[in-house]
Amino acid sequence: DTGVSQNPRHKITKRGQNVTFRCDPISEHNRLYWYRQTLGQGPEFLTYFQNEAQLEKSRLLSDRFSAERPKGSFSTLEIQRTEQGDSAMYLCASSLDARGLGTQYFGPGTRLLVL
Amino acid sequence: GNSVTQMEGPVTLSEEAFLTINCTYTATGYPSLFWYVQYPGEGLQLLLKATKADDKGSNKGFEATYRKETTSFHLEKGSVQVSDSAVYFCALSSTGGATNKLIFGTGTLLAVQP
């Protein structure tokens, strides 16, 4: 069990550029979540996949954000036309559905800085 | 809507002191409750959880009891160590819906001095 991995760990970009982050969940975990954490705050839910289906998106996820999980394995989160307000830690978590009680295991996060 | 409120930090204690970090919640239905810990430079790790009223979660000397009557899930440890210095997050997951997304408090920074 290698845990949840995320790449890259750090990303610095200029305003207006596009960025893409990758999350590899624990193998066989069918649920995958994306959260965003800003300095001094707790993580906030962005979106959720069960297998390859994106079943819920937060209102925080503007139309500049898109997430995919092809084949129900790894997931990508893309931010288009980045803004300084997008600077945050982006966290991925996965869980194994057990009547909705599966514990979420988090990756180390991708820290984004938009200049 | 569902929400979590936890005591503001930082909390500064001497080694071997008793720790309490307060957490209260607002939720419909019967949420599961969690404490996650974030050590410096690392990701969130599950510390303990409780899935129904009066359950006690425990791990590494930390404990928290799910109190439905007071809507609380306070974290306690009898004797803290320097290595416990971290940010602690209280969270809930509503089992009423399909998503089971986590809703977090703002976190409490614990600093333990030798």
Side-chain angles (χ1 to χ4, degrees), chain A residues 31 33 35 56 100 103-104, chain B residues 36 49 98-102:
Chain A
R31 290 176 174 237
Y33 302 80
Y35 294 84
E56 185 172 342
T103 296
Q104 292 184 31
Chain B
Y36 279 83
K49 71 177 185 181
T99 304
N100 297 313
K101 62 192 173 195
L102 291 170

Side-chain angles (χ1 to χ4, degrees), chain A residues 46-57 61 66-69:
Chain A
L46 291 179
T47 191
Y48 153 68
F49 290 85
Q50 181 154 338
N51 300 311
E52 66 276 9
Q54 187 175 19
L55 297 185
E56 185 172 342
K57 293 193 290 186
L61 214 65
S66 63
E68 295 183 340
R69 193 184 182 196

